[in-house]
């Protein structure tokens, strides 16, 4: 398995300081942050920081043994056999991890992975027309569903499940509908748990000590992924590899890329006043990975009027829209680029004798070669002319093993980065405000 690596080359001054820091030569202005991140790692590993009852995600990779995965794979195989469509109900951390991996790995122009059901999503918003279309299309397909809610009380998935359960029962009868539903929720509490027990649905538990946005390596992510045809064993191997890299007794700055990334972010936020982190990529398959990352960092760090605002851009598409602002607008940004090192296919640009389009200068080159040069040129433009510090995360290939590494890397870096800001990265008190108003307006 090839490792993910970081490239600070395009950070200019910040990049040089970070490069030196990683080699052991911390500049004066970085020393306080070095200490903060070392402290953050200590309290993360000792379990003495705020939110320490939500650290179960740290050890998830090593818990993904064959024994743990087998029942998930078995039920997923049963669902795969009997469904053209698989509906995944959930919101936030109960949905984004699975979608991030599925959308990254499925063929881009095909609806699903080969010989696998089409995955549709519900309960991730309250769009009525979407729900009407979904129900109408499910009339025509054989389908199964899973409903995911740790609390078991979240409004959006609860409404979607009520509607879809009704549809499924009408279509197949109550007994078969029960066999076509999997519930993933708390082990003891919540409305979904009560319903699942009463109906006898196959159920999986979201561990108490794992919060939603850190739950992709629990059944929350693993079950939908297995139904979608993703190799969850390979995903687990990737996460295990990253865990090994990050969890030595002492913090080795030269190899701990989560600490390096946390340092990059916090140095630019606390030290240089940057307010926005832009996660960009030159491959559109990373779109939902960026959404997952946005939720992970936004919900973990945006507290007590602190935190980098997580934004995202898809290049080269967005170079023709946001590109102007990034290059030339207010200097609010740092940029983290997800850089794919090797794609899966080859397409060469043909020669054209007439050359009327003037593109013969790239004839014989692969499309990926042009994309690489666009990436390189953009990094130079943003960092040198635009003054945007750029960090590249090099991802060797787009497969389960790389994504397993990446997911765990981001979770670990997020925890370090949050602790380095003296906040609790594992709660989300701000999410309650809209719910309180909505429930009052609905007369709950
Ligand atoms: O990360 C989180 O904790 C949240 O995004 C939750 O995952 C989201 O609000 C859904 O909650 P639940 O799984 O309880 O329905």
């Amino acid at each position: 398995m090839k490792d993910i690596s970081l490239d600070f080359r395009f950070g200019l001054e910040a990049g040089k300081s970070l490069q030196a820091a990683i080699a052991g030569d911390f500049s004066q202005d970085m020393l306080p942050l070095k200490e903060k991140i070392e402290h953050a790692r200590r309290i993360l590993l000792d379990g003495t920081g705020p939110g320490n009852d939500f650290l179960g995600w740290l050890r998830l990779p090593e818990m993904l043994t064959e024994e743990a995965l087998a029942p998930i794979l078995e039920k997923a195989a049963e669902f795969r056999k009997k469904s053209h469509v698989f509906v995944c109900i959930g919101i936030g951390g109960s949905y984004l991890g699975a979608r991030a991996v599925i959308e990254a790995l499925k063929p881009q122009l095909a609806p699903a992975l080969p010989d696998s059901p089409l995955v549709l999503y519900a309960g991730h918003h309250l769009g009525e027309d979407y729900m009407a279309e979904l129900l109408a299309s499910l009339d025509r397909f054989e389908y199964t569903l899973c409903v995911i809610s740790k609390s078991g009380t979240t409004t959006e998935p609860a409404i979607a499940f009520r509607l879809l359960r009704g549809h499924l029962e009408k279509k197949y009868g109550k007994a078969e509908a029960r066999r076509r539903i999997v519930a993933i929720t708390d082990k003891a509490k919540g409305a979904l748990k009560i319903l699942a027990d009463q109906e006898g649905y196959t159920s999986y538990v979201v561990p108490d000590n794992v919060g939603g946005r850190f739950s992709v390596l629990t059944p929350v992510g693993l079950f939908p992924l297995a139904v979608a045809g993703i190799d969850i064993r390979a995903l687990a191997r990737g996460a295990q590899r990253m865990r090994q890299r990050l969890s030595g007794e002492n913090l080795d700055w030269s190899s701990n890329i989560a600490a390096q990334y946390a340092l990059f972010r916090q140095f630019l936020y606390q030290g240089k006043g940057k307010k926005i982190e832009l996660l960009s990529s030159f491959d559109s398959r990373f779109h939902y990975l960026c959404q997952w990352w946005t939720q992970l960092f936004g919900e973990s760090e945006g507290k007590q009027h602190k935190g980098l605002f997580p934004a995202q851009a898809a290049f080269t598409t967005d170079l023709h829209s946001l590109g102007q602002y990034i290059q030339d607008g207010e200097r609010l940004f740092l940029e983290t680029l997800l850089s794919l090192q090797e794609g899966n296919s080859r397409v060469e640009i043909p020669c054209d004798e007439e050359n009327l389009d003037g593109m013969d200068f790239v004839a014989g080159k692969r499309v990926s070669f042009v994309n690489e040069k666009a990436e390189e040129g953009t990094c130079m433009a943003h960092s040198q002319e635009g003054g945007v510090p750029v960090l590249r995360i090099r991802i060797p290939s787009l497969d389960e093993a790389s994504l397993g590494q990446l997911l765990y890397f981001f979770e670990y870096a997020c925890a370090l980065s949050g602790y380095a800001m003296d906040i609790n990265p594992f709660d989300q008190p701000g999410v309650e405000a809209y719910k309180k108003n909505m429930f009052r307006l609905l007369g709950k």
Side-chain angles (χ1 to χ4, degrees):
M1 185 186 312
K2 286 193 185 148
D3 286 330
I4 284 176
S5 59
L6 302 189
D7 168 10
F8 293 98
R9 192 158 43 104
F10 293 104
L12 283 184
E13 286 317 305
K16 278 187 202 140
S17 314
L18 283 156
Q19 208 62 66
I22 288 157
D25 181 15
F26 283 84
S27 56
Q28 277 305 318
D29 55 349
M30 260 189 203
L31 282 174
L33 273 169
K34 170 185 185 279
E35 273 159 32
K36 277 189 181 182
I37 289 170
E38 286 171 352
H39 175 71
R41 187 164 181 277
R42 241 182 342 265
I43 60 175
L44 182 67
L45 297 186
D46 297 349
T48 50
N52 56 2
D53 42 349
F54 282 96
L55 297 180
W57 59 272
L58 258 176
R59 289 185 178 78
L60 285 175
E62 67 222 32
M63 289 161 73
L64 300 181
T65 56
E66 195 52 38
E67 213 182 345
L69 298 180
I72 293 176
L73 286 162
E74 201 179 311
K75 187 72 189 173
E78 182 194 320
F79 268 30
R80 285 166 59 76
K81 246 187 240 147
K82 59 177 170 191
S83 23
H84 301 127
V85 170
F86 169 67
V87 186
C88 185
I89 303 176
I91 195 165
S94 286
Y95 133 87
L96 278 165
R99 190 162 197 178
V101 177
I102 293 168
E103 300 284 340
L105 297 183
K106 81 169 188 56
Q108 294 170 85
L109 297 182
L113 272 106
D115 307 318
S116 300
L118 165 68
V119 182
L120 296 177
Y121 301 89
H124 55 310
H125 57 64
L126 289 164
E128 184 168 84
D129 290 345
Y130 179 89
M131 184 49 80
E133 278 180 42
L134 177 63
L135 290 168
S137 64
L138 291 174
D139 285 341
R140 291 181 285 121
F141 296 106
E142 299 300 323
Y143 77 101
T144 50
L145 67 82
C146 84
V147 51
I148 309 172
S149 176
K150 182 176 179 185
S151 63
T153 56
T154 306
T155 308
E156 294 90 335
I159 290 175
F161 185 48
R162 181 181 279 214
L163 286 161
L164 287 164
R165 183 165 52 100
H167 184 276
L168 202 65
E169 287 175 355
K170 207 164 140 209
K171 184 168 169 132
Y172 294 103
K174 244 181 171 303
E176 177 58 15
R178 281 192 192 110
R179 289 191 280 273
R180 287 175 176 267
I181 294 173
V182 158
I184 304 174
T185 189
D186 187 83
K187 68 173 185 309
K189 58 179 193 307
L192 180 57
K193 172 65 184 162
I194 296 169
L195 184 61
D197 282 353
Q198 191 178 303
E199 295 292 322
Y201 301 144
T202 298
S203 300
Y204 299 108
V205 171
V206 191
D208 281 344
N209 59 359
V210 180
R213 57 192 175 275
F214 289 83
S215 68
V216 58
L217 297 174
T218 73
V220 170
L222 299 174
F223 182 69
L225 289 174
V227 178
I230 305 291
D231 180 353
I232 59 171
R233 290 187 180 97
L235 189 84
R237 282 196 294 275
Q240 283 153 4
R241 169 92 165 192
M242 185 55 74
R243 174 154 167 73
Q244 256 174 13
R245 271 183 87 181
L246 301 180
S247 52
E249 182 61 22
N250 298 311
L251 170 46
D252 176 359
W253 278 101
S254 66
S255 65
N256 192 315
I257 60 171
Q260 294 173 10
Y261 178 45
L263 181 67
F264 170 74
R265 306 178 78 249
Q266 290 303 327
F267 175 63
L268 291 161
Y269 172 64
Q270 296 186 36
K272 303 284 172 195
K274 300 292 180 192
K275 300 288 181 216
I276 296 173
E277 179 177 10
L278 186 70
L279 187 70
S280 60
S281 133
F282 281 76
D283 194 304
S284 57
R285 286 171 292 180
F286 284 118
H287 174 74
Y288 276 96
L289 203 281
C290 292
Q291 297 274 343
W292 172 84
W293 170 91
T294 298
Q295 192 229 355
L296 178 68
F297 279 88
E299 220 169 63
S300 299
E301 288 194 338
K303 283 160 204 170
Q304 300 168 24
H305 296 183
K306 297 184 197 172
L308 279 163
F309 181 83
Q312 50 187 285
F315 297 150
T316 60
T317 310
D318 287 337
L319 290 174
H320 299 259
S321 65
L322 284 176
Q324 172 61 38
Y325 194 108
I326 300 165
Q327 192 65 44
D328 225 9
E330 261 214 80
R331 303 297 70 200
L332 304 164
F333 304 97
L334 55 120
E335 184 175 347
T336 299
L337 175 72
L338 295 174
S339 176
L340 181 62
Q341 302 301 287
E342 192 58 59
N344 303 326
S345 8
R346 288 183 77 92
V347 178
E348 266 180 27
I349 302 163
C351 230
D352 182 327
E353 266 176 26
E354 290 191 74
N355 193 26
L356 292 177
D357 58 8
M359 294 307 293
D360 251 9
F361 67 100
V362 286
K365 300 276 191 278
R366 288 173 63 181
V367 175
S368 61
F369 177 80
V370 182
N371 205 25
E372 275 160 32
K373 298 303 150 209
E375 180 179 308
E376 199 89 0
T378 303
C379 288
M380 281 153 64
H382 287 180
S383 62
Q384 289 168 16
E385 291 129 60
V388 178
V390 179
L391 163 69
R392 279 208 293 196
I393 301 177
R394 291 178 185 275
I395 300 155
S397 51
L398 198 45
D399 52 26
E400 285 89 342
S402 289
L403 289 176
Q405 292 184 56
L406 197 60
L407 294 168
Y408 191 77
F409 157 75
F410 275 136
E411 289 178 350
Y412 203 105
C414 180
L416 293 183
S417 190
Y419 276 162
M421 283 194 313
D422 300 317
I423 52 103
N424 174 358
F426 306 112
D427 64 0
Q428 53 283 329
V431 180
E432 294 311 310
Y434 98 92
K435 292 187 193 166
K436 225 170 54 202
N437 291 338
M438 175 177 74
F439 291 146
R440 187 171 41 77
L441 293 167
L442 288 169
K444 187 182 176 188

